[in-house]
Amino acid sequence: MRSFKAYFKKEILESVRGNKYLILFVGTIFWALMDPLMLKLLPLILKNYLPADLIVLFSTFNRDTAFQTFLNDLFQIGTIIIALTLMGLLSNEVSLKKLVFPYSRGASPAGVVLAKYIHYTITISLFILIAFLTNYFYINRLFTGGMLSIEIALKSSLLYILYYSVLLSILLYFSSLFKRGLIAGISVLVLGYSLSIFNQFETIRVYLPNYLLFKAADIGHIFDNSLIPTVIISFCIIILLVFFSILRMKKIDVA
Amino acid sequence: MIKVVGLKKSYGRLEALKSISFEVEKGSVFGFIGLNGAGKTTTMNILTGLIRFNGGKIFIKGKDFLKNKQELIRTIGYLPETPTFYNYMNAYEYLNFIARIIGCDLKKTRKSVGKLLEMIKLTKHGKRRIGGYSRGMKQRLALAVAFMNSPEILFLDEPASALDPEGRVEMLELIESLKDDKITIFLSTHILNDAERVCDKICIIDEGKILLTKNLSQLYETYIQPIFDVEFEEDPEEAVNSLKKLSWIESIKENGRRISIYVKDIDHAKKEILKEISKLNTNVTSYQIRKSTLEDIFMRMVSKNEII
Amino acid sequence: MIHITVIDINFIITEILRLLPFFIPIIIIQYGLMIFALVQLFRNEAAYLPKWGWALIIIFFGIIGPVVFLIVGKKKEIEND
């Protein structure tokens, strides 16, 4: 608990002074603002250059499809930004020998790992929530039609939060495994993107965390029974990987 | 206080520690001496719980270190050779951060953080980010970290290496004063003068093996052996060869025109050496008897060509 | 096939004017971040590229430029010893 508190405060300080809050905030909120506007403007700008039937395609965007576009962009760009910003979570601490003093004064690896995981999960969850609400507000002002409601947006954001909690636990574990943060970051990116391919296969997709993203975009049926195995597996992954990260940090040579 | 039995550590194929054993008494200053790469830092990293080891046993305060690590580590302070901090913090923040980890009472801490900063003369720079500190300032801050919560055992790895001459003297005075407070100090150094001044016990380590562990006074008794330094006008190769044949001469170290003669029987040598030199047909420019220092002992121990 | 009428242009202009307030937060974020990144660039050492190189990236690559600079280009105090 002592180490947890000390490291929680340390992560806050590091995020402020290392501009991590800023990067993560911009990385999530920017697309929430930009996507609806671009969708609205593009047909106007292209009107003079594109055939009319293509323009019709553009103007069929309603609130639902605009929301889905945001979800997709948030996944693609948000994941890169999160992975690259936080890839050094544990690897930097070890390779730069920052743990020599804390460990020699009795810091507990469990406290360190939990503080980091919980701090960044809270941070990212908060930013995702803000991004979803802003996006909902923008879409409502710019588009009509569709069945999007604040309730749907919140449910959808919940699934995104759970997805990024899983991704963060993977990043945490990889970061404890590899000496170089970049390897951890890129592995997480490859894993995150490639698992989305399985959303095409109905039988296995429910067992993979990327199904959360699929269901988040399934407006009208976001929460249904098909999510049960996914949610259970997601929590299992989080608990296991955080546990493995703690084990790894207990055994690793920090000097 | 500390007992190490058959400690082994290897990095891949390289054996960094080849089964070393030693004991450190409570309240003493234990001088751990060796060349760079001899295994000093490795041993200290193991004893402070920072790295694993491959074999052997460690007991601190009579308890098995591996089984009681979390408890024992709280009584230890470590000053690493190149300390690393979170450079975006300032000295106040870092000391408070460590205090939180140790679990000091924060009200007490605030006072003692101020005191610590005063002690290491960083009060003026306490609010500056550590990233901008000089090597010496970092070393002093590291000392404050090692000192927090008054540990019973202090591990100091080359504590004076980054300090200016003045800081070095202060460091030695500090170690001497700590000795009075009954704090056990494990001091690694390659500056033999420093070790000679403050250590009670000397342990010489070379290539992962311990060559000798002895009390300083004992060491002088055993190895006290005057050295005869003779300087010739010309290259003394011939002279050396004929001197080496004498049975009471143990070894001769050559250094240009100057030679150092180590002997087996001092009294005999004092009488005979001048006679022998006069028999040689060369001019001697200087002759003196020198008391052996720790440096001489150390040099004889670690250079493989010499017979101990 | 493409007809541009006066009505169309009027419609486009009114649409853009209507959307203008929605751009304000984006402009604030985009330029705020750009200025912040430039200030950081001049105050700190830059990694991998000379400072002018990073300045070009920050200014001309939209939102991506400053973010990339802050992630990889800024030599963080965390890492230099």
Side-chain angles (χ1 to χ4, degrees), chain B residues 39-52:
Chain B
K40 290 174 292 181
T41 302
T42 305
T43 309
M44 296 186 104
N45 282 340
I46 290 172
L47 290 175
T48 47
L50 297 175
I51 60 175
R52 290 161 295 172

Side-chain angles (χ1 to χ4, degrees), chain B residues 191-203:
Chain B
I191 303 162
L192 296 151
N193 278 335
D194 293 359
E196 220 167 349
R197 184 169 152 190
V198 296
C199 294
D200 301 310
K201 204 175 187 182
I202 295 286
C203 176

Side-chain angles (χ1 to χ4, degrees), chain A residues 2-3 5-7 9-11 13-15 17-18 93 96-109 112 116 248 250-255, chain B residues 9 45 48 50-52 70 73-74 76-78 80 83-90 93-94 97-98 100-103 129 142 145-149 151:
Chain A
R2 283 188 293 250
S3 303
K5 275 189 196 161
Y7 263 87
K9 284 194 177 169
K10 175 250 166 194
E11 289 305 329
L13 204 65
E14 183 168 317
S15 298
R17 298 201 178 150
E93 299 269 0
L96 300 173
K97 300 193 191 307
K98 302 292 186 192
L99 290 172
V100 168
F101 272 131
Y103 269 39
S104 79
R105 297 320 312 255
S108 95
V112 175
K116 281 172 180 280
R248 171 91 179 139
K250 263 188 185 161
K251 289 204 177 134
I252 204 163
D253 288 350
V254 298
Chain B
K9 168 79 184 173
N45 282 340
T48 47
L50 297 175
I51 60 175
R52 290 161 295 172
Q70 285 301 321
I73 228 154
R74 295 194 171 272
I76 290 174
Y78 183 25
T84 45
F85 307 92
Y86 294 115
N87 289 336
Y88 50 84
M89 289 188 188
N90 62 39
E93 287 162 343
Y94 196 80
F97 164 73
I98 295 292
R100 261 184 228 114
I101 287 177
I102 300 173
R129 293 200 185 170
V145 174
F147 260 49
M148 281 190 107
N149 209 29

Side-chain angles (χ1 to χ4, degrees), chain A residues 139-188:
Chain A
I139 286 174
N140 257 353
R141 289 301 179 87
L142 295 171
F143 295 90
T144 52
M147 55 191 296
L148 187 70
S149 66
I150 184 87
E151 196 196 332
I152 290 173
L154 285 177
K155 277 181 179 173
S156 179
S157 76
L158 223 55
L159 293 187
Y160 258 73
I161 286 172
L162 181 57
Y163 176 75
Y164 277 109
S165 305
V166 175
L167 205 74
L168 203 60
S169 71
I170 300 173
L171 188 62
L172 185 80
Y173 182 59
F174 281 2
S175 187
S176 77
L177 224 50
F178 301 119
K179 271 193 177 158
R180 299 207 31 176
L182 194 62
I183 298 174
I186 289 171
S187 318
V188 166

